[in-house]
Amino acid sequence: MLAAIKAKENNPQKSVAILEKQSRIGRKLLSTGNGRCNLVNTEITKEAFHGSFKKYLDTTLTLCPASRVIDEFENLGLLVNEESEGRVYPISNHASSVLDVLRFRLSSLGVEIFTDEAVKELKKNKKSFTVTTDKNRFECEKLIIATGSCASPGLGSDKSGVSAVERLGIKTIPFSPALCPIKVNSEYLARLKGVRASCKVTLIDGGRRVKEETGEIQFTENALSGICVFNLSSPLKNAQKPGISIDLAVNYSFIELYNILQKNKKLFSNRTAEDLLTGIFNKKLATVLIKASGIKPLSKRIGSLTENELKRLANLIKDFRFKPEINNDFKNAQVAAGGVSADELDPNTMESLRIKNLYVTGEAVDIDGNCGGYNLWFAFASGIIAGDSV
């Protein structure tokens, strides 16, 4: 939508049209930010991104920083508010406000929108493109691919757009789920279903710490969830010997934690082992931690716990390990890693280096970012750059 707006603004004499697979435009946008639409992040850095296009982000940030995206939307009539960690939302707190100002501008410019047009084939002619859908055939001088990825298929997403580009001979990276729960193999997970806890979660590859995030973790029946986990899902796919370490006592060192357990041993000496972590953790989590540390039976008196048992428990609380499983399920993925390789694109224009007048934007490009407005920023920024370039 932003690419079409900029293309029409810069070429008012040209006909600009959007081909939309679904029956209405912008459906996926309505689901972003839990329905609030986290437009951009004002604290964007390259370190928050993954994928081959990451190497060109300095160019993208120069051409279209977060401030320009905000300006573009304010010029469309949208008022925004910056919240914690640089996250920018519409002041209405409704994604529909974002979609509405985009739709109104498209309408006022006379951009045609063709819905229920699923693209089946792209053909490069000598001086034009032919886009064949399941209903019609369209001819154009310049073509912008803004089809997204196959993340969240329930909202109509698939890989058809990137697949069509691939058939033109353009190199792509296979899609994989990102910003999604991480499935793990653990005997304890079923007992932790529904539990939330503040923590630091770290992706480990063999003995190397790859990436760490701090926040609230959520345990489900078969996965670890929460934003801090989502941000590890993309680098996970490149790990050879992956592991997830959870520190459930971020504000305490091992020694401080051990001393707390010693204190509780005296305080609750006549109670059973399952009560040792009372006042520290949720009851479900406390029970799992005590069992996982090897303290048994749970009916054992706290006063009889040994120094080694307390040390094992403190170690576990600081480093609770889980083994990730391969995840090919896009159902709960907010975005997807993969897409058109950066080596195929000019970052100054988003134009294909192989096929003149073909442009690729947003999630169709091999780049994905952390939660917090990073992915929408790139979608909007690359759309603006392409629209300015056609």
Side-chain angles (χ1 to χ4, degrees):
M1 289 181 280
L2 262 182
I5 288 170
K6 300 312 294 182
K8 186 64 174 179
E9 287 176 346
N10 293 321
N11 303 275
Q13 77 286 1
K14 297 285 187 177
S15 173
V16 177
I18 294 176
L19 305 185
E20 169 60 49
K21 172 189 170 185
Q22 302 197 70
S23 58
R24 58 192 175 104
I25 199 166
R27 183 182 174 199
K28 195 170 183 180
L29 186 62
L30 294 175
S31 70
T32 60
N34 290 321
R36 296 176 62 210
C37 190
N38 184 184
L39 287 170
V40 295
N41 194 297
T42 60
E43 301 174 4
I44 292 173
T45 62
K46 288 174 64 174
E47 288 66 36
F49 290 86
H50 314 276
S52 61
F53 201 85
K54 177 178 177 176
K55 63 185 177 183
Y56 292 140
L57 273 186
D58 286 338
T59 300
T60 311
L61 283 164
T62 299
L63 293 171
C64 196
S67 58
R68 183 181 174 190
V69 174
I70 292 171
D71 287 344
E72 292 285 352
F73 273 102
E74 289 187 337
N75 290 337
L76 296 177
L78 186 76
L79 294 183
V80 301
N81 179 51
E82 182 176 339
E83 298 185 6
S84 62
E85 300 179 322
R87 298 176 183 183
V88 176
Y89 294 87
I91 65 168
S92 68
N93 274 325
H94 287 281
S96 57
S97 297
V98 182
L99 178 56
D100 286 343
V101 298
L102 289 168
R103 289 193 304 107
F104 292 169
R105 184 58 176 159
L106 289 167
S107 176
S108 69
L109 289 171
V111 174
E112 293 185 89
I113 300 174
F114 297 89
T115 56
D116 296 309
E117 296 280 0
V119 174
K120 298 300 181 183
E121 183 183 16
L122 303 180
K123 182 181 179 182
K124 178 67 174 76
N125 309 312
K126 190 172 183 180
K127 293 185 178 180
S128 67
F129 294 91
T130 301
V131 183
T132 303
T133 71
D134 51 358
K135 292 181 179 180
N136 297 295
R137 181 175 295 175
F138 299 84
E139 297 284 333
C140 61
E141 298 172 36
K142 301 192 177 188
L143 179 63
I144 298 175
I145 304 298
T147 53
S149 69
C150 48
S152 302
L155 296 174
S157 302
D158 62 26
K159 62 180 181 180
S160 57
V162 171
S163 295
V165 171
E166 189 176 38
R167 288 193 290 272
L168 293 177
I170 290 177
K171 178 184 175 183
T172 66
I173 310 300
F175 282 129
S176 59
L179 293 191
C180 57
I182 294 177
K183 292 184 177 181
V184 294
N185 184 10
S186 172
E187 61 181 293
Y188 302 109
L189 213 53
R191 304 174 194 172
L192 292 173
K193 181 180 177 180
V195 172
R196 297 169 180 249
S198 296
C199 71
K200 178 173 70 178
V201 57
T202 304
L203 171 62
I204 296 171
D205 188 3
R208 182 174 63 94
R209 290 177 175 264
V210 178
K211 184 178 176 65
E212 63 182 35
E213 293 280 328
T214 301
E216 184 183 70
I217 195 169
Q218 301 165 30
F219 297 92
T220 73
E221 66 275 5
N222 63 355
L224 306 176
S225 189
I227 291 175
C228 57
V229 174
F230 292 172
N231 287 338
L232 302 183
S233 57
S234 188
L236 172 63
K237 70 180 185 297
N238 296 319
Q240 300 300 309
K241 297 179 180 179
I244 300 292
S245 169
I246 302 174
D247 180 351
L248 291 160
V250 181
N251 297 323
Y252 299 91
S253 66
F254 168 80
I255 293 299
E256 290 172 329
L257 184 58
Y258 173 72
N259 289 336
I260 290 170
L261 296 181
Q262 285 280 24
K263 176 184 174 182
N264 279 13
K265 176 181 175 179
K266 295 177 182 177
L267 190 63
F268 307 136
S269 60
N270 290 323
R271 302 194 67 85
T272 56
E274 60 185 347
D275 293 326
L276 177 62
L277 298 177
T278 298
I280 303 176
F281 295 114
N282 166 284
K283 183 68 174 178
K284 282 185 181 179
L285 180 56
T287 302
V288 164
L289 289 171
I290 291 167
K291 283 185 175 180
S293 72
I295 295 175
K296 57 184 180 181
L298 290 182
S299 57
K300 186 176 185 177
R301 294 294 171 185
I302 291 176
S304 67
L305 293 177
T306 66
E307 180 178 322
N308 282 338
E309 286 175 320
L310 295 183
K311 285 182 177 179
R312 285 204 311 269
L313 179 57
N315 270 320
L316 184 74
I317 292 170
K318 294 293 292 180
D319 186 13
F320 196 12
R321 293 289 181 107
F322 291 85
K323 183 175 176 55
E325 296 180 348
I326 295 174
N327 179 21
N328 294 314
D329 184 5
F330 289 92
K331 181 180 179 181
N332 295 313
Q334 295 183 26
V335 299
V340 173
S341 171
D343 296 335
E344 297 281 349
L345 302 171
D346 179 351
N348 293 287
T349 61
M350 303 308 295
E351 185 177 14
S352 167
L353 296 173
R354 193 184 300 267
I355 301 175
K356 186 175 175 57
N357 294 327
L358 176 67
Y359 302 77
V360 185
T361 66
E363 259 201 278
V365 179
D366 177 31
I367 188 168
D368 60 285
N370 289 348
C371 282
Y374 298 96
N375 292 287
L376 272 183
W377 163 76
F378 183 78
F380 293 139
S382 59
I384 289 170
I385 292 169
D388 279 344
S389 303
V390 295

